[in-house]
Amino acid sequence: MHAYDRIKQAVRSETERPHALRQAILSCRSGGIVSVIGVYGGFLDKFPAGAWMNRALTLRTGQCHVRALHETAVAAH
């Protein structure tokens, strides 16, 4: 995690956890696919758009239907 992320966490001004997405993009092979599944609604700081574009990565996203699956998950637990 970068110092910038730690400072934002310390002052509680962080909207998302961008270090996981940055790490996925920087770790993916050229021409690879980065898939992000979850519930995201905030803004990302320091997004590595250059690495994403220069390495021809495909970014696939989708929302997780938490409300639809919540009762099934709780009942199974």
Side-chain angles (χ1 to χ4, degrees):
M1 185 178 340
H2 299 294
Y4 180 76
D5 295 326
R6 289 186 180 146
I7 292 168
K8 285 188 76 171
Q9 282 181 348
V11 298
R12 298 188 185 269
S13 68
E14 182 179 55
T15 59
E16 292 290 329
R17 303 222 176 226
H19 55 273
L21 182 58
R22 275 197 303 263
Q23 186 65 37
I25 289 172
L26 296 174
S27 299
C28 189
R29 65 179 173 83
S30 294
I33 299 171
V34 176
S35 296
V36 181
I37 301 171
V39 179
Y40 298 94
F43 296 99
L44 296 176
D45 292 328
K46 308 292 184 195
F47 183 79
W52 173 40
M53 297 296 290
N54 291 335
R55 297 172 59 214
L57 300 178
T58 300
L59 185 60
R60 293 187 179 165
T61 62
Q63 292 287 332
C64 179
H65 302 289
V66 175
R67 292 186 182 221
L69 302 174
H70 181 264
E71 291 191 27
T72 304
V74 171
H77 185 39

